[in-house]
Amino acid sequence: MTELTHRVPATAPEATAATPSTRSEVAAGIRASLSAGLGMFPLGIAFGLLVVQAGLPWWVAPALSLAAFAGSLELLLVGMIVVAAPLVTIALTTFLVNFRHVFYAFSFPIGVVRNPFARAYSVYALIDEAYAVTAASTDRWSAPRLLSMQLAFQSYWVGGGLVGVLVASMLPAPIEGLEFALCALFVTLTLDACRKREQVPSLVLAGLSFTAAVLLTPESALFVALLFFLGALLVRYTVQRMRVRAGARLGSGSRSAARSRAGIRRTRA
């Protein structure tokens, strides 16, 4: 009994240290969201301004942010709603713009969220910023940390949109060129991605896709360019996979040949 009494206090602190509290995990998730959130909030303001200046009701901004919650798509939807684009076009555009999220799921730590409702929200709130933060982090993720980070991201975006709506209601005249916010966002993302040499071919493919779409279908250039670019990316991915497999086979053959030569030398010795 004496030995047991001594063992319990020796192991209890280790167990407590290995299991962070929910509050500390929530705080860690909010801290992880701050850097990307600094960019989301002003972009949300631009989105709210754009909604009001496009002549739409103010509630469209929070409604889109809650229903779609995809910054780039929401900015696109504002223009499509204004021109009363067909539902088929809106659906296809939504599919193409958000298609990348399918690949996010392969490495996003969704497995730490056990509750089915919380998991459904985590899938719904899987945006670029959330994926980027988890992909760049080497920390261990828990459900409270992940969900608090995603909730914080949505709060930044919805809050920014409401601030933008409020600012737009106080402006005496519309701000010209505000619709360029979406282009500015993608230009920034493109320049950031092209810092790595392996991403340059994707940039070239995007330029060729858009040029071909403008020449072939100038009236639907953006939509057709997205289709061309998606096809080009699939071809590039297939070619890269074939090269990797061919390299693996060559490497395996070289190692087998080296082992054979080493065996022959040992036999002769």
Side-chain angles (χ1 to χ4, degrees):
M1 290 297 292
T2 305
E3 292 181 0
L4 287 176
T5 305
H6 289 169
R7 284 173 187 168
V8 171
T11 55
E14 294 179 2
T16 302
T19 306
S21 65
T22 301
R23 179 177 295 182
S24 65
E25 286 296 279
V26 170
I30 295 174
R31 283 197 301 271
S33 71
L34 290 177
S35 57
L38 290 175
M40 289 184 67
F41 188 77
L43 194 58
I45 295 176
F47 171 65
L49 284 165
L50 185 62
V51 166
V52 174
Q53 293 192 6
L56 298 174
W58 70 268
W59 51 263
V60 171
L64 279 178
S65 298
L66 294 175
F69 190 33
S72 56
L73 176 65
E74 292 176 47
L75 289 164
L76 275 176
L77 287 178
V78 170
M80 300 180 81
I81 293 174
V82 169
V83 299
L87 288 178
V88 175
T89 303
I90 294 176
L92 285 175
T93 303
T94 302
F95 173 75
L96 291 173
V97 171
N98 287 339
F99 186 72
R100 65 190 185 281
H101 291 186
V102 174
F103 302 100
Y104 289 172
F106 293 126
S107 55
F108 191 70
I110 189 69
V112 301
V113 184
R114 303 293 185 185
N115 185 284
F117 296 104
R119 178 182 286 241
Y121 173 76
S122 186
V123 172
Y124 151 79
L126 176 51
I127 59 174
D128 297 336
E129 288 78 6
Y131 177 78
V133 171
T134 57
S137 174
T138 57
D139 297 338
R140 184 184 61 82
W141 287 91
S142 63
R145 180 181 296 200
L146 188 66
L147 292 170
S148 61
M149 181 191 69
Q150 292 182 283
L151 279 168
F153 279 143
Q154 191 161 21
S155 301
Y156 303 145
W157 181 254
V158 176
L162 291 174
V163 172
V165 167
L166 180 62
V167 172
S169 65
M170 296 186 294
L171 289 176
I175 301 176
E176 296 294 336
L178 191 61
E179 62 277 6
F180 190 72
L182 178 61
C183 297
L185 168 65
F186 284 114
V187 168
T188 303
L189 294 176
T190 302
L191 292 176
D192 189 56
C194 290
R195 291 178 182 178
K196 296 181 180 179
R197 181 177 298 179
E198 59 266 26
Q199 297 300 332
V200 173
S202 295
L203 177 63
V204 175
L205 290 175
L208 292 175
S209 299
F210 185 73
T211 302
V214 170
L215 294 176
L216 297 175
T217 57
E219 295 181 355
S220 305
L222 181 59
F223 179 70
V224 175
L226 285 172
L227 291 178
F228 285 167
F229 187 48
L230 178 61
L233 288 179
L234 289 175
V235 171
R236 188 191 174 205
Y237 173 76
T238 304
V239 171
Q240 285 183 330
R241 291 277 297 179
M242 293 173 62
R243 287 179 177 176
V244 169
R245 290 178 178 175
R249 284 197 295 269
L250 288 175
S252 178
S254 300
R255 288 192 294 271
S256 298
R259 285 195 294 269
S260 299
R261 288 195 295 271
I264 292 173
R265 285 195 295 270
R266 285 196 296 271
T267 302
R268 288 177 178 175

